[in-house]
Amino acid sequence: MTGIPYLVLAVLCLSISSTLAAESGWVDAALKFLVEGNKALQVAEVGKLEEAIEAYKQGVETLPAECDKSFDKKQAQIILSLHTQLGQALSYAGDLQSAIDSFRSACICQRGWSEGGKNEGLNQLASKAYFSLGMAYQESASSATDEGKQREQLELSVR
């Protein structure tokens, strides 16, 4: 995979950062870690992958424990982006199970917002999370040596 999707996401995150600057608490901290992770991931081929993973993990740690339906669109974008980007970085590092867990977290949050009518503008980010989750399941299936495990992972990839 190339760094181009991450560059687009970094630009998106930087563009919303000016409108979030006045907010305090978890939003500012999460956005800071998201931008740091995106910058590190863009140069992952020169040894910055672990730095990106650490930044995303720190960003996820700043998030509220629950995906509250009261979050506004920008907050939801940050949450989806952090979970999805962490999953991408973990996948690149070969930690498929952790990547799957991260992608699933993004998908679970998006489902909650979808039910609450907050899905507007989140479809592109949610699509990336769902697509990446399916791809991670398929990759996990292809690396499994047990036929039953392969079948299980492939079935999960199409849910």
Side-chain angles (χ1 to χ4, degrees):
M1 291 192 185
T2 66
I4 293 173
Y6 305 105
L7 180 59
V8 172
L9 187 57
V11 170
L12 169 69
C13 292
L14 290 172
S15 70
I16 63 173
S17 66
S18 62
T19 58
L20 294 174
E23 293 186 34
S24 61
W26 71 267
V27 174
D28 291 333
L31 184 59
K32 173 186 162 272
F33 289 120
L34 179 61
V35 171
E36 285 177 13
N38 288 343
K39 286 178 183 176
L41 197 59
Q42 289 173 10
V43 290
E45 53 274 2
V46 292
K48 298 271 188 173
L49 185 57
E50 288 303 318
E51 188 177 313
I53 291 170
E54 186 57 34
Y56 293 136
K57 283 182 178 180
Q58 289 176 344
V60 168
E61 288 174 9
T62 67
L63 299 178
E66 303 270 333
C67 291
D68 192 330
K69 291 181 182 176
S70 69
F71 294 144
D72 65 28
K73 179 179 164 184
K74 291 172 187 158
Q75 292 169 330
Q77 287 174 326
I78 292 169
I79 293 168
L80 285 178
S81 295
L82 270 169
H83 284 294
T84 303
Q85 291 299 96
L86 175 58
Q88 290 291 337
L90 290 166
S91 179
Y92 289 149
D95 187 353
L96 283 178
Q97 189 54 56
S98 295
I100 287 170
D101 293 342
S102 192
F103 294 136
R104 283 181 47 90
S105 293
C107 294
I108 289 167
C109 287
Q110 184 275 336
R111 284 185 202 147
W113 294 321
S114 176
E115 292 167 5
K118 294 212 176 194
N119 208 27
E120 269 184 57
L122 299 177
N123 287 336
Q124 185 176 5
L125 290 172
S127 294
K128 182 178 179 182
Y130 281 101
F131 175 79
S132 298
L133 177 62
M135 294 302 292
Y137 276 130
Q138 287 184 349
E139 189 172 339
S140 178
S142 68
S143 65
T145 56
D146 178 327
E147 188 176 320
K149 183 71 171 171
Q150 287 178 339
R151 181 171 288 118
E152 175 188 333
Q153 293 298 312
L154 288 172
E155 287 174 1
L156 288 170
S157 73
V158 295
R159 281 189 188 176

